Amino acid sequence: MEQNNYQGKLQKALGSGFDAKSTSYEVVNGIDLTGKIAIVTGGNTGIGLETVKTLTGAGATVIVPARDVEKAKRNLEGIANVLIEKMDLMNPDSIDAFAERFLHSGRPLHLLINNAGIMWVPLRRDSRGYESQLATNYLALFQLTAKLWPALKKANGARVVNVSSGGHQFSDFDFEDPNFLNREYETLQGYGQSKTAVNLFSMELDTRAKAYNVRSYSLCPGSVGETELGREAPLDLLQKLGFTDAEGNILPEVAASLKTIPQGAATTVWAATSELLNDIGGVYCENADIASLNSNEKVIGGVKPYSLDERNAKRLWKLSEEMTEIKFDFS
């Protein structure tokens, strides 16, 4: 078997037995996670919350870092084996503080699920001047994973699962102007390049981390209804894309095509727990299996080759170190 997924060499379905309608509970059926420790960002809403419910139901202890701790407490009330911590992905110091608290506990980290993300937002920048979708969806993920690396290594069999999106096809990564300093801001381009970055990072991390028994995956949860991802979406853009009518009501044919939240969480849970992935990593998954390569720009689904390009993955890694001023301690 190939030792890496550069250029998408490993993007071939494994025949998992699951599909787009499979739920997170079906995927985890028969898997015992007792004694495992997981961190799930964005774990108090949407598919992140469903992921937490599924993992704890299988026996795992799950830490949920949240910007709004009180909201997280309300949403996670009654779920056993959940710990809530303060963390803001737009604040690098907050990420460091959360990671330091976890490392200080001395616990191993078996599953790091980088689920949190934003979409459809107007141009915003963090304290460093970085565009908010790039900062939240990718750079925060890079920083958190790097800071938690000692705990991942300590688990002696960890997985890093990064929730990407089919929206990576909106844009390749723009190395010349990633923060929209010299080009007009377009929110879906910002989202697309942040998710392409997630795919490139997941592949490169797996190549570098597998020697320490840590594997990495990216995934598309699918188009999921009833999440908070579109809370800032402009109505005119949703109309233009054919999602809603003039009053903002979702079109019936669009609603019928959406996954339920348990279906949306299925691929995350599959990537985190499936034994079929014990000897393979760095792949992009969808519908609870490995996705196929798709070079047709007009066709939705699968993974675009540019988001699994070896040269760009290495270039992005170096840029990420420079932008965050953080390096993984591979020693």
Side-chain angles (χ1 to χ4, degrees):
M1 182 173 285
E2 295 284 355
Q3 296 301 303
N4 59 63
N5 192 35
Y6 294 142
Q7 318 310 136
K9 289 179 290 192
L10 303 178
Q11 292 296 147
K12 298 177 180 64
L14 297 175
S16 68
F18 302 112
D19 57 29
K21 296 185 180 298
S22 299
T23 68
S24 56
Y25 301 99
E26 292 169 338
V27 164
V28 84
N29 185 42
I31 296 175
D32 184 8
L33 298 178
T34 302
K36 302 295 186 183
I37 298 172
I39 291 173
V40 180
T41 67
N44 68 91
T45 62
I47 64 172
L49 175 57
E50 199 69 21
T51 299
V52 171
K53 291 177 180 178
T54 307
L55 296 179
T56 56
T61 296
V62 181
I63 295 97
V64 178
R67 184 182 61 217
D68 187 338
V69 170
E70 293 306 313
K71 176 184 176 182
K73 287 179 179 178
R74 292 193 299 271
N75 291 354
L76 293 161
E77 186 177 3
I79 304 174
N81 301 320
V82 171
L83 303 171
I84 300 169
E85 290 268 3
K86 179 76 172 176
M87 188 180 74
D88 182 353
L89 290 174
M90 278 283 281
N91 184 336
D93 291 339
S94 176
I95 297 171
D96 284 351
F98 167 78
E100 285 302 319
R101 290 194 300 273
F102 185 86
L103 294 179
H104 186 70
S105 74
R107 292 171 293 181
L109 179 57
H110 302 91
L111 296 172
L112 173 58
I113 299 179
N114 290 304
N115 164 82
I118 58 175
M119 186 181 185
W120 308 102
V121 298
L123 179 59
R124 296 192 184 110
R125 301 189 185 279
D126 69 6
S127 60
R128 301 166 294 188
Y130 299 156
E131 187 271 323
S132 65
Q133 292 185 98
L134 180 62
T136 302
N137 296 347
Y138 173 62
L139 292 174
L141 177 157
F142 181 92
Q143 178 179 349
L144 182 61
T145 307
K147 290 292 185 176
L148 290 170
W149 172 248
L152 289 164
K153 190 167 60 171
K154 189 173 185 177
N156 192 29
R159 292 188 185 183
V160 178
V161 179
N162 300 315
V163 178
S164 181
S165 169
H168 75 273
Q169 75 175 31
F170 294 146
S171 177
D172 198 346
F173 193 87
D174 190 328
F175 285 96
E176 303 308 317
D177 189 15
N179 289 299
F180 293 87
L181 298 176
N182 301 303
R183 56 180 170 139
E184 184 178 355
Y185 181 70
E186 204 289 306
T187 187
L188 289 182
Q189 285 187 3
Y191 182 76
Q193 79 155 358
S194 75
K195 292 303 186 177
T196 288
V198 170
N199 296 350
L200 291 168
F201 166 71
S202 302
M203 179 179 67
E204 186 64 21
L205 175 63
D206 188 78
T207 301
R208 300 180 185 223
K210 63 188 174 183
Y212 304 92
N213 207 11
V214 178
R215 305 309 300 255
S216 173
Y217 309 89
S218 60
L219 66 98
C220 172
S223 296
V224 184
E226 300 180 359
T227 74
E228 295 186 2
L229 191 60
R231 59 185 177 270
E232 291 193 73
L235 178 57
D236 60 340
L237 182 55
L238 292 178
Q239 283 181 250
K240 183 179 178 181
L241 291 170
F243 294 160
T244 67
D245 62 20
E247 283 72 48
N249 301 307
I250 190 166
L251 298 177
E253 59 270 27
V254 174
S257 71
L258 297 177
K259 288 187 177 185
T260 65
I261 287 178
Q263 290 170 341
T267 305
T268 301
V269 174
W270 182 78
T273 63
S274 175
E275 292 187 354
L276 293 176
L277 295 173
N278 283 351
D279 297 316
I280 186 172
V283 289
Y284 175 94
C285 306
E286 66 180 0
N287 298 329
D289 207 330
I290 296 177
S292 60
L293 274 177
N294 175 13
S295 57
N296 188 335
E297 293 182 2
K298 297 181 180 179
V299 176
I300 298 173
V303 58
K304 299 305 177 188
Y306 60 69
S307 76
L308 297 174
D309 179 81
E310 178 178 4
R311 179 177 175 272
N312 283 350
K314 295 182 186 305
R315 187 179 180 187
L316 178 66
W317 190 282
K318 184 174 184 296
L319 178 64
S320 304
E321 291 179 334
E322 294 169 354
M323 292 181 74
T324 62
E325 298 183 344
I326 292 169
K327 291 188 177 184
F328 278 73
D329 182 16
F330 290 115
S331 61

